[in-house]
Amino acid sequence: MMNWFANLPNFSAYGTPVYFIYLLIAILPLGIGIYFGKRLSWYEALVSFVFIFFMFDGQDWQQAISLIVYIIYQTCLVMWYVHYRQQNNNSLVFYCTTFLSLLPIIIVKFTPAMVGHNSLLGFLGISYLTFRAAGTIIETRDGAVKDINWWKFIRFMAFMPTITSGPIDRYRRFSKDYRKVPSREKYLKMLEKAVMYLFIGFIYKFIIDYFFAQQWLPYVEQQAMSHAPHLSWWVVAVAYVYSGDLYFDFAGYSLFAVAISYIMGVETPMNFNKPFLSKNIKEFWNRWHMTLSFWFRDYIFMRFVFMATKKHWFKNRNVLSSLAYMINMVVMGFWHGVTWYYILYGFLHGAALCTNDWWLRYKRKHFKNLKSTKLTKFIAGFITFNFVVFSFLIFCGFLNTLWFNPSAMK
Amino acid sequence: MKEQIQNLLAQATGRDASDFADTSEDLYADGLIDSMATVQFLLSLQDEFDIQVPVSEFDRSAWSSVDKICEQVKELQND
């Protein structure tokens, strides 16, 4: 049985242009249904199942089992907590439930650092599903989510267009979309956007990123490695080329995910908004991987500040905001994985947010008459962009290979 | 009420109340307020108007201008 499963072809999400032909044909009936005011729920479940099946079959079959077990586990946990919360509201129970919800990802992220190989519990997309489940538990605690339908929750967790890499939606928003069918007028506007996003996505992912990922990155990496373990100007080139690759790959993917969601009548939130035009690091995080940074902002940063202010933990609010930034970004670093470069990346961004705030205060006090001009905006954007590129050089782990593991590249 | 809200916003952000004179201006888009100041502002709002605003109920688009904040506060007071 497993042999048969392992030998099936595997189609990763949005991997090739042909994939879109299959996908669009498969979801066409859904679009026609919504156009005529009906959601074909069973057909949608079937199409989602088939496409998710082909993302995880073949060599990845172990991941398929982990995915199924994981979704059942989280659904039981969330359903139980919603049931519990309808009668009680004990803080300890809330913390334990949140911990149990995070436990699989904690195991998966710490396993490689502890025992040197990947955990069997892991599967592509586990990080993104964790955000959806944990977010739902937190909103239940706050009384924002009062009731949950298990089937709708599974559909939310395993929503096919976004299952492997986001964008990260929220249960309340998703289920609101899901309950109703958009009006014909609105749906046509969504389709119009979907077509535009698909084509921008094609340009990003299959044309621009082809140069960054396939042509330039291997070349500059090889040049930089020829000086290993010493630094060279080629490392600077790696930083810029990798940043371009990361953006066009991920933004392209996100546009596909949003476009396909729109065709299925769900307004999945956008993930990127011209991040490299940001004029400071705070603005950058409002434009880069937005559904992730907003998740951290709402569930970690704001909640921590809220609790600390209410309980008067800190006298100085600047100390409090700095600490909250550091916690927020270092946790984000750990979420990417337990390696020195991810954690340093989070640390650097936390420090940058603190510096940014300090500078805004300093400017307001000492340079009251400093006018915002084209020049100051350009300088601010230039500094932000180059800092971000530098942080991505750390993030991509190339320095780790260059310094500690040069044989991995050859 | 608008004046009270403008003063609370000024307190939370460390700006002048006059920065919030335009009551329809988008506070988030124009960078007048950040997450940190938002939390401080919400807490002072709770004390001033005796209302409860859970952080996870907080939807930025519904609270993005002085006018909208007024509406929200009135609504919460009526609850």
Side-chain angles (χ1 to χ4, degrees):
Chain A
M1 159 78 183
M2 279 310 159
N3 256 337
W4 165 83
F5 193 60
N7 286 324
L8 285 174
N10 177 297
F11 298 100
S12 64
Y14 317 120
T16 58
V18 184
Y19 185 85
F20 288 86
I21 298 175
Y22 298 139
L23 184 60
L24 289 172
I25 291 173
I27 63 175
L28 182 68
L30 293 174
I32 296 172
I34 294 171
Y35 183 79
F36 288 104
K38 252 186 114 72
R39 269 189 196 282
L40 307 176
S41 304
W42 282 103
Y43 180 71
E44 194 195 316
L46 179 76
V47 169
S48 302
F49 179 79
V50 170
F51 276 87
I52 294 171
F53 180 90
F54 280 110
M55 285 175 207
F56 288 99
D57 70 341
Q59 294 306 308
D60 299 333
W61 64 270
Q62 270 176 336
Q63 293 198 18
I65 294 172
S66 306
L67 171 72
I68 294 167
V69 174
Y70 181 86
I71 289 183
I72 294 172
Y73 171 77
Q74 294 288 359
T75 306
C76 292
L77 197 63
V78 169
M79 293 301 295
W80 176 81
Y81 186 68
V82 171
H83 179 74
Y84 165 84
R85 181 65 182 76
Q86 283 165 352
Q87 277 106 38
N88 300 290
N89 187 15
N90 183 305
S91 298
L92 190 65
V93 175
F94 165 66
Y95 290 121
C96 289
T97 315
T98 310
F99 176 74
L100 284 176
S101 176
L102 298 178
L103 189 60
I105 200 174
I106 294 174
I107 295 173
V108 167
K109 293 291 178 184
F110 276 88
T111 303
M114 309 287 249
V115 295
H117 62 77
N118 285 333
S119 164
L120 283 178
L121 288 179
F123 57 88
L124 186 65
I126 184 172
S127 321
Y128 293 93
L129 296 198
T130 304
F131 286 121
R132 292 181 211 179
T136 310
I137 290 173
I138 295 172
E139 297 205 342
T140 306
R141 152 85 164 176
D142 286 359
V145 171
K146 291 189 175 68
D147 202 11
I148 277 194
N149 170 294
W150 65 274
W151 176 240
K152 214 186 267 170
F153 184 74
I154 291 179
R155 304 307 306 281
F156 163 66
M157 287 291 277
F159 185 55
M160 183 264 289
T162 61
I163 190 166
T164 57
S165 312
I168 304 154
D169 207 348
R170 315 240 173 135
Y171 180 75
R172 275 192 299 162
R173 208 212 60 74
F174 179 87
S175 58
K176 216 192 273 166
D177 272 14
Y178 215 74
R179 235 176 287 137
K180 52 169 205 257
V181 183
S183 69
R184 185 172 292 183
E185 197 190 352
K186 183 168 181 201
Y187 186 58
L188 287 174
K189 272 196 190 126
M190 285 164 76
L191 284 184
E192 197 181 310
K193 275 192 194 159
V195 172
M196 188 176 78
Y197 291 161
L198 276 180
F199 278 92
I200 301 176
F202 287 144
I203 295 173
Y204 277 18
K205 173 111 188 171
F206 296 126
I207 298 176
I208 303 179
D209 192 49
Y210 166 78
F211 290 102
F212 278 106
Q214 314 272 331
Q215 301 286 314
W216 301 332
L217 192 60
Y219 178 73
V220 291
E221 278 189 344
Q222 207 184 14
Q223 293 299 321
M225 285 309 289
S226 67
H227 299 270
H230 301 289
L231 291 173
S232 60
W233 285 106
W234 288 106
V235 176
V236 179
V238 170
Y240 286 94
V241 174
Y242 174 78
S243 301
D245 172 31
L246 182 65
Y247 173 68
F248 287 108
D249 181 57
F250 198 10
Y253 158 82
S254 299
L255 284 165
F256 295 148
V258 171
I260 299 298
S261 305
Y262 276 24
I263 299 174
M264 292 170 71
V266 172
E267 284 182 281
T268 294
M270 282 299 269
N271 238 358
F272 292 92
N273 175 20
K274 305 186 190 104
F276 292 136
L277 298 182
S278 308
K279 275 162 226 70
N280 62 51
I281 200 69
K282 243 186 200 162
E283 192 188 339
F284 175 78
W285 282 107
N286 284 328
R287 291 164 169 273
W288 174 269
H289 203 177
M290 288 142 73
T291 58
L292 175 78
S293 75
F294 294 170
W295 195 99
F296 274 84
R297 178 193 75 195
D298 292 349
Y299 296 124
I300 297 188
F301 184 91
M302 303 257 295
R303 294 182 75 86
F304 175 74
V305 173
F306 192 81
M307 199 153 82
T309 314
K310 221 164 142 184
K311 300 198 170 161
H312 305 289
W313 286 347
F314 302 92
K315 276 207 186 95
N316 186 328
R317 61 175 270 177
N318 298 335
V319 173
L320 167 60
S321 77
S322 303
L323 186 70
Y325 282 137
M326 291 314 289
I327 292 174
N328 196 67
M329 296 319 275
V330 171
V331 172
M332 192 192 274
F334 271 94
W335 167 75
H336 280 295
V338 186
T339 63
W340 68 266
Y341 42 92
Y342 289 141
I343 297 162
L344 179 61
Y345 166 79
F347 188 85
L348 277 175
H349 272 277
L353 286 164
C354 297
T355 312
N356 186 194
D357 254 20
W358 167 83
W359 163 248
L360 288 176
R361 282 196 301 274
Y362 188 84
K363 190 177 75 172
R364 211 176 295 155
K365 217 164 155 188
H366 298 279
F367 300 106
K368 261 205 145 149
N369 299 321
L370 189 68
K371 287 244 159 48
S372 173
T373 62
K374 271 196 178 138
L375 181 70
T376 59
K377 278 184 187 153
F378 174 78
I379 295 171
F382 182 81
I383 295 172
T384 307
F385 174 67
N386 285 288
F387 167 75
V388 167
V389 168
F390 172 69
S391 75
F392 284 159
L393 175 65
I394 309 267
F395 175 82
C396 75
F398 180 74
L399 293 176
N400 191 55
T401 317
L402 183 78
W403 288 332
F404 310 119
N405 197 10
S407 58
M409 283 290 282
K410 278 165 193 164
Chain B
M1 181 190 275
K2 272 187 188 158
E3 212 166 288
Q4 263 170 304
I5 288 174
Q6 282 160 339
N7 285 331
L8 292 179
L9 279 169
Q11 234 170 54
T13 55
R15 290 171 182 272
D16 296 326
S18 61
D19 286 347
F20 301 97
D22 178 359
T23 57
S24 63
E25 188 179 10
D26 190 320
L27 304 172
Y28 289 100
D30 295 341
L32 284 170
I33 186 165
D34 60 7
S35 307
M36 178 73 196
T38 301
V39 177
Q40 311 265 341
F41 170 67
L42 284 182
L43 283 165
S44 61
L45 211 57
Q46 297 196 350
D47 296 339
E48 186 102 359
F49 296 101
D50 197 27
I51 49 172
Q52 282 292 326
V53 192
V55 209
S56 72
E57 291 265 21
F58 180 77
D59 168 11
R60 269 172 203 238
S61 58
W63 293 78
S64 58
S65 70
V66 175
D67 289 333
K68 285 185 183 172
I69 294 168
C70 275
E71 266 170 53
Q72 291 288 337
V73 171
K74 278 180 198 152
E75 217 167 278
L76 285 167
Q77 278 177 327
N78 291 333
D79 273 352

